[in-house]
Structure formats: C-alpha cells, structure tokens
Amino acid sequence: MSSFETPQETERGFGLSSREARVIGGASVLMGINVVLMYVFAQIPQLAEINNYLFGVAPILGVIIYGAAIMGGELVAERGVKGGDMGIAFVGMLILQLAFGIFGAGVLSRAPQVLQVEILALTAVVVAVMTALISGYVYARSATFEHWGRFANFSFIGGVLVILVGSFVLPALLLVGFVLIFLGFLLRLGYEIWQVRDNRDASATLQTIGVYIAVAGVFVHVLQLVLRYVLSQE
C-alpha cells in the first residue's frame, strides 16, 4: 500500500453513478471552454504578452499572480454555490476561466499559429490519459485518499518557495518548482476524484469545480511540456 493512502472500508467498482457522471461531464465542459479560450486569447497579442511580462520580471511574480487568481476564483465560486447565489458563483468561475485561459494562451502563443490546434489537441489527449489512469487507480483501491489533499498542499507550498529562491538566487531550481507544482495538481486531481467517489452527500457543483481546477492545473503544465516537444520536432 502506498504511503499516500490509509485503509478505509470502501466497496466500489468502476461503474459511475449518474451523479458522478454529471460531475465529470460538468468538469469536462468547463475544461473544454477553457481550451477554446486559450486558443482565442493566444490570438490577442496583448493578452499573450501578460505571461511574458509577469514571468519576465521574476517567475515568482507570475506564480503569485496566477495562484492568487485561482485561489480567489475558487473561493468566490464556492461562496456563491454555498450561498445559493449563482451570480457570485458565475463571477468566481469567470475568474478561474480567465486565469487558466490567459496563462494557457501565454504558453500557446510561443508556438506558430499553424501548430497551436495540434498542441492543444495533443495536450488534451495526454491529460485525458493521465486523468483516466489516476481515476482508475482511485476507483480500484478500497482506501481513502484524503492524504493526497494534504500532500498536494505541501507540494504547492514547496513549489512556490523553491521558485522564490530560483527567481533571485539559483535559476536551476525553477525546474524543481515546476515539478512540485505539477505534482501538486496531480495529487489534488486524485483527491478530488476520491471526493467524488466517496463523499456522495457533498454538493455535486462544488465537486465539479474542484475536479475542473485540478484538471486545468494539470493541463497548463502538460501544455508547456507538449509545446517544448512539438517545437523541438520542427
């Protein structure tokens, strides 16, 4: 048994309930909208330049700005859902869509326009496979994955601290920070999928938002790797 897991009496198969299907479907729709926004925003030079400015001044600045936008958007969206105010929930989702969309567009804009759809499609395939593997692992184990949420937070914090040092002292550490934050989103994805599997009394809307954020975080990191790979083949 992995050190990331603790035993729990859970008897679940791979079949999805209608509720689980709604959560996954909703998160997929939100992610689909985000991918479209990334492509559209990449065609707007002013938006594409935001990343260059933020990360050009210091990588930690970009991490803090986007991190704050994602956390803020999530908090606003959750507040709206819990309070029954769909207007506030919409504002929170809008912040999340813009944060991930502009960041993804900044990454995508480094590639020629003729390659952008190919890069997005390849990224979507890789993320879909990774999500399927993590989901399969979670659903195959009769265990709680609550610790994955804690480890995700530790990974995010560690990544930010490493990037802070890398921004001003040792640039080689920036790659380590990237890996830690990427790992954080992967762990959070597993945690969110476990929540959908076992916490069936929770709000399906809140779980949809949680899964979407985790998938979007994985997506923008894979996007950077796929971009490098595709450009290296040219």
Side-chain angles (χ1 to χ4, degrees), residues 173-185:
L173 289 176
L174 293 175
L175 178 59
V176 177
F178 171 89
V179 171
L180 286 172
I181 293 179
F182 188 14
L183 177 61
F185 278 113

Side-chain angles (χ1 to χ4, degrees), residues 53-120:
Y53 175 76
L54 291 177
F55 290 95
V57 173
I60 188 61
L61 178 60
V63 170
I64 290 174
I65 295 297
Y66 282 113
I70 293 169
M71 290 179 63
E74 181 178 12
L75 290 173
V76 172
E78 289 182 347
R79 178 183 177 185
V81 173
K82 291 177 180 177
D85 190 329
M86 291 300 102
I88 293 178
F90 177 79
V91 171
M93 291 308 304
L94 182 61
I95 294 172
L96 288 169
Q97 288 280 343
L98 290 175
F100 283 117
I102 294 174
F103 180 80
V107 174
L108 190 62
S109 65
R110 301 173 193 167
Q113 186 174 0
V114 69
L115 295 176
Q116 290 178 359
V117 172
E118 175 188 344
I119 291 171
L120 285 172

Side-chain angles (χ1 to χ4, degrees), residues 60 63-64 155-166 177 180-181:
I60 188 61
V63 170
I64 290 174
S155 193
F156 287 136
I157 294 171
V160 171
L161 293 177
V162 170
I163 290 175
L164 175 62
V165 175
L180 286 172
I181 293 179

Side-chain angles (χ1 to χ4, degrees), residues 142-159:
S142 294
T144 173
F145 288 76
E146 185 173 5
H147 287 1
W148 282 40
R150 296 196 191 98
F151 282 118
N153 290 333
F154 293 151
S155 193
F156 287 136
I157 294 171

Side-chain angles (χ1 to χ4, degrees), residues 187-197 207 210-211 214:
L187 290 169
R188 176 167 181 182
L189 179 56
Y191 170 80
E192 295 291 348
I193 292 171
W194 166 70
Q195 284 284 317
V196 174
R197 187 195 75 178
Q207 290 184 341
V211 173

